[in-house]
Amino acid sequence: MNVGFNHNVMYRGEIFHVQTEDSGIANPHIITLLYRGGTIICSRKTSYADIIKMDNLDQVVQELMKEQHKDMLRRLKNGEFDDRAFPSRQPAPATKPAAAPEQAPAVASTQVAPAPPAAAPSSPPPKPPAKPQEKPSSLDEVILDFLLADDKD
């Protein structure tokens, strides 16, 4: 059985805990859990029963654990769990507006610029400019980037 990984990381001003553990040869699977405030946000379970007879099993399982752990951190950083982790921060669903009371509009008229001419249908739409690589703005982001960096052994 391999020793697991545990990290507390700050993301969007909140502490998240990522835990990865090996259940051992008798129950050959790796489990990674992502917590926020004691609530499991995501879990991933991977079996390694198909490779249990390998000579270097401990080393292989340790590498599988590390990659699964880092993958969960990457997914967190990329915002994949934002809707589950921050449900109150999500915009409210669009609802049909209530009927406005009968009164004169506050602005009587507005000017609208004419629409630009339509592009020829054969030309592809222009690609948006490449987004510049943003540098981490806090120590927490620097630490998370460090944890996610590929090892250059």
Side-chain angles (χ1 to χ4, degrees), residues 2-130:
N2 284 292
V3 176
F5 299 102
N6 288 284
H7 286 101
N8 289 326
V9 294
M10 181 76 72
Y11 172 69
R12 291 183 63 184
E14 299 289 334
I15 302 257
F16 288 80
H17 180 75
V18 182
Q19 174 182 320
T20 300
E21 57 188 31
D22 170 23
S23 297
I25 294 176
N27 197 6
H29 60 263
I30 298 164
I31 300 174
T32 301
L33 301 168
L34 172 65
Y35 295 91
R36 177 178 174 244
T39 301
I40 296 174
I41 302 297
C42 183
S43 66
R44 181 171 179 201
K45 183 176 179 179
T46 305
S47 173
Y48 61 91
D50 58 331
I51 62 168
I52 206 156
K53 303 246 185 231
M54 290 184 73
D55 291 335
N56 59 345
L57 182 64
D58 281 346
Q59 182 180 2
V60 172
V61 169
Q62 188 73 17
E63 189 60 32
L64 290 171
M65 290 172 63
K66 183 190 291 185
E67 284 308 309
Q68 184 164 304
H69 191 81
K70 287 172 111 176
D71 182 59
M72 188 69 76
L73 288 165
R74 279 186 204 102
R75 292 170 65 196
L76 172 66
K77 183 179 179 189
N78 289 334
E80 186 174 326
F81 310 115
D82 286 0
D83 59 336
R84 285 180 263 171
F86 306 107
S88 62
R89 294 185 189 177
Q90 298 302 315
T95 59
K96 190 173 182 180
E102 301 271 339
Q103 57 181 326
V107 178
S109 67
T110 58
Q111 291 184 346
V112 177
S122 62
S123 64
K127 293 183 180 178

